[in-house]
Amino acid sequence: MGGMPQAVSAYIDSNKNLGYVDSVKRSILNLYREDIMKINAKYRSRVIALYDMIPALLSKHEKRVVFSNIVEGTFAEQYAETFFWLTDSMIVNECRKTDNPGIAPALNASETYIKCYMCDTGLLLSHAFNENELLENEVYKQILQDKLSLNEGMLYENVIAQMLTANGHKLFFYTRYSGEKHRNDIEIDFLISNNSKLKYKSFPIEVKSGKRYTTKSLTKFKEAYGKRMGGAYIIHPKNLSIKDDVVCIPPYMTICL
C-alpha cells in the first residue's frame, strides 16, 4: 500500500480492504496529474509524458530514461526543468549515472543517463497496474504470496530507492560498457558514498529480487575501484550473510545503510 498517510488510514479504517486503498491511491495520482496541468505550459507536456512513462521505464532492464522515447525528437537538455519539478514536488526520486566512481558522484553526475523512481512504491503499484486487477486484489495477493513474477524487480528496486532516499542519500548508479562484448559488463544499481571530499569512499549496492543471482558486476567493480570502496552490499530476499567481504542484507536492513 506504500506509506502515504491517506492510504495507510484507508487500510486501517476499511478493515484491510486493499481495493479501497487502491481507490485512495488513484485519487492521489489524479491530484498529481492535476498539479502538473497547472505548471508552465512550456514544459508541461514533457512532465506529464515522463510521469505517465515511469512504470514502463522501470519495467525495462536498464530502467534509465530514453528521452527521445518520451517525446519524439527531444533530448536530455530539454528535461532539466522536468526533473526539477517532479523531484521538488516529491513525486519522483531521480538517480543519475556517475561517470567515475573513484571520486564523489555529485562531481561527475551525468545529465543524460537518469533513472526515475517514484517516491512512494504504493503509488507506483497503482500507477503500473490496471485498476480492475488491483480492485480484485489479484496483484496484491500475488505480491503477498511471493508469486508475482511480472514487474517484481521494478517494485523491489523502487522500494530500495525510496528507503535510501529516506536515509538522506542522493541516488547514483554506475554502468561500464564493454566494446569487446558489445554490452555493459558492469551494472551497479545504486552507489552511495560517505560524502567526504578528502577521504571519499564509495559503497556499491546491487539489488536482487530473486534468491538466485550472480555477483559478476560487483566483483569487476571491486577490481576496478576497490581502493576507493568503503564496503559493498547486496540487498536480497534472504537472511544477513557476508561473502567475500560483501555484506548481503534483507531489504528491511536498508535503513542501516
Side-chain angles (χ1 to χ4, degrees), residues 169-236:
H169 295 293
K170 289 187 176 181
L171 302 181
F172 298 93
F173 71 99
Y174 177 72
T175 61
R176 185 181 73 181
Y177 183 78
S178 170
E180 181 182 344
K181 298 177 180 178
H182 302 290
R183 60 177 174 82
N184 291 334
D185 67 340
I186 298 180
E187 295 182 350
I188 301 300
D189 297 314
F190 297 107
L191 194 67
I192 59 177
S193 73
N194 60 357
N195 294 318
S196 172
K197 298 293 189 300
L198 298 176
K199 297 181 179 180
Y200 167 76
K201 293 292 182 180
S202 67
F203 299 82
I205 299 170
E206 283 211 35
V207 180
K208 307 293 185 181
S209 59
K211 294 184 178 180
R212 294 183 179 181
Y213 54 81
T214 65
T215 60
K216 292 180 180 178
S217 283
L218 202 52
T219 300
K220 290 179 180 178
F221 186 90
K222 288 172 66 179
E223 291 172 353
Y225 301 103
K227 293 181 180 179
R228 304 306 300 269
M229 280 175 50
Y233 299 94
I234 290 175
I235 300 174
H236 63 183

Side-chain angles (χ1 to χ4, degrees), residues 117 121 124 154-164 251 254:
Y117 299 97
T121 307
L124 173 62
M154 169 187 74
L155 299 172
Y156 201 92
E157 195 167 314
N158 199 88
V159 167
I160 304 306
Q162 185 178 342
M163 294 175 77
L164 290 172
T254 304

Side-chain angles (χ1 to χ4, degrees), residues 64-190:
R64 72 178 181 87
V65 178
V66 179
F67 296 97
S68 60
N69 290 347
I70 300 174
V71 178
E72 188 175 353
T74 58
F75 46 89
E77 288 77 6
Q78 295 174 309
Y79 286 84
E81 292 287 348
T82 301
F83 280 102
F84 174 79
W85 192 92
L86 287 170
T87 304
D88 194 55
S89 301
M90 299 182 73
I91 295 175
V92 306
N93 292 319
E94 67 174 44
C95 180
R96 294 182 179 267
K97 180 177 181 287
T98 179
D99 295 319
N100 182 2
I103 61 176
L107 298 178
N108 63 105
S110 172
E111 295 298 321
T112 57
Y113 286 80
I114 306 172
K115 296 179 184 178
C116 195
Y117 299 97
M118 286 200 73
C119 282
D120 184 84
T121 307
L123 293 182
L124 173 62
L125 184 65
S126 295
H127 199 24
F129 287 92
N130 180 281
E131 186 172 1
N132 291 330
E133 291 175 312
L134 291 180
L135 286 174
E136 293 168 3
N137 290 340
E138 284 304 313
V139 174
Y140 289 113
K141 288 177 184 176
Q142 289 181 31
I143 292 172
L144 293 171
Q145 295 170 4
D146 197 23
K147 293 181 179 180
L148 182 69
S149 56
L150 180 68
N151 291 325
E152 183 180 83
M154 169 187 74
L155 299 172
Y156 201 92
E157 195 167 314
N158 199 88
V159 167
I160 304 306
Q162 185 178 342
M163 294 175 77
L164 290 172
T165 302
N167 259 13
H169 295 293
K170 289 187 176 181
L171 302 181
F172 298 93
F173 71 99
Y174 177 72
T175 61
R176 185 181 73 181
Y177 183 78
S178 170
E180 181 182 344
K181 298 177 180 178
H182 302 290
R183 60 177 174 82
N184 291 334
D185 67 340
I186 298 180
E187 295 182 350
I188 301 300
D189 297 314
F190 297 107

Side-chain angles (χ1 to χ4, degrees), residues 11 18 27 42-43 46 55 106 112 128 172 185 194 212 214 239:
Y11 180 72
L18 292 171
S27 69
K42 183 179 179 180
Y43 53 90
R46 290 195 287 271
T112 57
F172 298 93
D185 67 340
N194 60 357
R212 294 183 179 181
T214 65
N239 292 328

